Amino acid sequence: MSSPFSLLLSASLLALLSPLVAADLERIPYNNPGLTVDLGVGLWAWPIPCDADGDGDYDLMVSCPDKPSNGIYIFENTTGDTAKNKMPVFKPGRLMGKTVTYLMPSYTADGMRVLSPGAEYLNFTKTGIEEKVKLPIDAKFHKTEGTQPKGPKMRHNQWRYVDYNGDGALDLIVGVEDWSYYGWDDAWNAEGKWQNGPLHGWVYFIRNTGTTAKPVYDKPIFVDAAGQRLDVFGCPSPNFADFDGDGDLDLLCGEFLDQFTYFENTGTRTSPNYVEGRRLKDANRENIVMSLEMIVPVAFDWDKDGDTDLIVGDEDGRVALVENTGKHSKNRTPVFAPPIYFKQEADTLKCGALATPVGYDWDGDGDTDIVSGNTAGFIEFFENLSGTNASHPKWNAPKRLQINGKDFRVMAGPNGSIQGPAEAKWGYTTLNIADWDADGLPDIVFNSIWGRVQWLKNIGTRREPKLASPQSIEVEWQGDTPKPAWLWWNPKGKELATQWRTTPVLHDFNKDGLLDLAMLDQEGYLAFFERTKKDDKLTLKAPRRAFVDEKGSALQLNAKTAGGSGRRKLSVTDWDGDGKFDFLLNSSNADLMKQIGEKDGNWVIKNTGSLASKNIEGHDVSPTTVDFDGDGIPDFIGGAEDGRFYFMKNPRTH
């Protein structure tokens, strides 16, 4: 008789492998048996390593609180004991059910217990969050004291059980992320220095003076280190374990960014004393650094060798093993190996988080590939392996585009995000592909977290593209070079600087044979940058707000400022087949911005509403069009917050 777990797997597998249908948006499958890719859920991975199916080996349960992929996913290990194979290839993730934010496991003498703020979930591996028990402490007991008016006051709120003081009763440990000093937005001075306070990650100890079965909790108190309140840069993810083998519990924390801090306990098992935090390092004394940020480490002896490893969730939905080598540095800090990301059998295409796809024949073999940006700032190439006229293509694993042998990546760094230094590892690449310099080879024009519009020249061949270092898109400005009012930095020369995270649209709008540019200008209006040519030199004219609504008013697609600005994703296509270009604009999926004519030298655009009924929007959806089946009619793909690509046939094909 099949177990409920196997039935769940079978039902999910059928759903994932079903062909693309015209009814609504469906994730694009790899259709490539035997292919392995990075294990991943949607935006934000909260790992729960355990024996999920009771077969004696370790699986991965991963909580993903994003939209549209909210849920608890089970990645089954079918290769056996991780003591023999610490990097199994997992089966594709199977949806167990919905989830909540900040779900974390605790490994106790009585087995694994799973908490969220103010609650515990019984029989978690069987019922997920269905059997909820409320804890006798207010989930929001932490009171912020910072005075910054913008942004959230508190975000990550991480609850775990541990016998903190060795008295035999499980206490509560709570890690909190306090934004009330940091604020959120537009706090740079003219030199690019952050004027607000830091982001705080604090840890509370809530002593249980009763028993594990009948707890009685004291008032929460802060955990100290080196005589003052222990503090990391947000999202502390506190892990208590005997990392140095001396019999007491040390503390290892993550952070909102990408590294780990170790706090050695120089006290005793019953009376802890934590020293100043030290960064985790590898055998080469290099800091252990994750690929992205918003990391969530869970201490767990994954390879069963007697020391405590880290299973770490990343912001883009991947999960990594950071293995404890069993060695220590001279100051007794445990030495870990660099992160290795787990693999899974390929199911549906995924490009990190907040995927920004473009349908284009990148490798010149005649079929439509997908090239996509994401939050991490990479640009990834998904090769169509099926050739032309394939309704349900077979896909290769993504490859990151490179420059000079290194992965191309845009990152904010210390001061590139208008929302502050907490966003240092994000890049938010959004792009388009066309022959920008008219040399017969497709190039990439992109925008990012910086708001700098740049291009990557293709210096390879049509079949083997090769990219040069980024160059600025320059405009023949009339007067001073404009920029969004909230940027602390000034564009250089004729450089185009505009609102962040907005798509540059490449198209011959005026049908003069030259490739033009359309995108949001510094005030959020959809602007037309006309291309001109003189003496074989291509230039961009200063923008004109040439796209208007039915009343003749210029289209302002985002009137917000600073961190709320930009964030509009566009694609150009003749969606309805009337011979005139239209726009697809991010919404719950994408709105059809239909061109209904021209007036006074402007194009009149009407928003006719969403293309589909399904809502796949988290932050925003990035639209593009493809023609996999070669019928000459553009079909829709939306890149979603979960990094997946959602496909819909154009209704004109029905």
Side-chain angles (χ1 to χ4, degrees), residues 341-356:
Y341 287 88
F342 288 116
K343 297 289 185 180
Q344 67 166 82
E345 297 174 3
D347 54 354
T348 58
L349 275 63
K350 175 176 168 62
C351 185
L354 275 70
T356 56

Side-chain angles (χ1 to χ4, degrees), residues 508-511 516 518 527-530 544-550 553 555 580-581 583 594-606:
D508 181 8
F509 290 98
N510 55 7
K511 299 180 180 180
D516 306 305
F528 169 55
F529 296 77
E530 183 182 2
R544 182 168 65 87
R545 293 170 179 171
F547 306 103
V548 300
D549 62 19
E550 296 165 278
S553 299
L555 288 178
K580 299 189 290 288
F581 70 81
F583 290 106
K594 176 179 170 59
Q595 185 194 158
I596 59 176
E598 298 183 36
K599 184 177 180 181
D600 299 330
N602 298 322
W603 293 283
V604 182
I605 307 295
K606 179 180 179 179

Side-chain angles (χ1 to χ4, degrees), residues 608-622:
T608 62
S610 298
L611 297 181
S613 59
K614 181 183 288 187
N615 186 343
I616 60 170
E617 182 181 29
H619 281 71
D620 47 50
V621 177
S622 189

Side-chain angles (χ1 to χ4, degrees), residues 500-612:
W500 70 334
R501 302 164 64 174
T502 59
T503 314
V505 180
L506 308 179
H507 185 72
D508 181 8
F509 290 98
N510 55 7
K511 299 180 180 180
D512 64 355
L514 300 176
L515 195 63
D516 306 305
L517 170 69
M519 68 181 309
L520 269 63
D521 66 14
Q522 72 277 7
E523 294 179 335
Y525 288 91
L526 184 58
F528 169 55
F529 296 77
E530 183 182 2
R531 203 79 176 277
T532 62
K533 185 175 182 180
K534 184 177 181 181
D535 299 328
D536 291 328
K537 182 181 179 181
L538 293 168
T539 59
L540 273 185
K541 294 175 66 175
R544 182 168 65 87
R545 293 170 179 171
F547 306 103
V548 300
D549 62 19
E550 296 165 278
K551 297 180 180 179
S553 299
L555 288 178
Q556 189 177 26
L557 300 183
N558 192 349
K560 296 180 180 179
T561 62
S565 69
R567 301 173 183 263
R568 302 313 306 263
K569 308 296 193 295
L570 294 123
S571 177
V572 65
T573 185
D574 181 8
W575 181 257
D576 54 8
D578 65 357
K580 299 189 290 288
F581 70 81
D582 310 302
F583 290 106
L584 301 180
L585 175 68
N586 65 289
S587 64
S588 59
N589 42 79
D591 286 352
L592 172 58
M593 306 289 286
K594 176 179 170 59
Q595 185 194 158
I596 59 176
E598 298 183 36
K599 184 177 180 181
D600 299 330
N602 298 322
W603 293 283
V604 182
I605 307 295
K606 179 180 179 179
N607 189 334
T608 62
S610 298
L611 297 181

Side-chain angles (χ1 to χ4, degrees), residues 295-313:
I295 64 171
V296 181
V298 174
F300 189 85
D301 184 6
W302 178 257
D303 55 9
K304 302 181 181 180
D305 64 354
D307 53 37
T308 304
D309 310 301
L310 299 176
I311 304 298
V312 189

Side-chain angles (χ1 to χ4, degrees), residues 475-482 493-497 522 529 540 542-543:
V475 177
E476 296 298 319
W477 300 109
Q478 304 299 313
D480 294 336
T481 301
K494 299 178 180 180
E495 180 181 19
L496 173 54
Q522 72 277 7
F529 296 77
L540 273 185

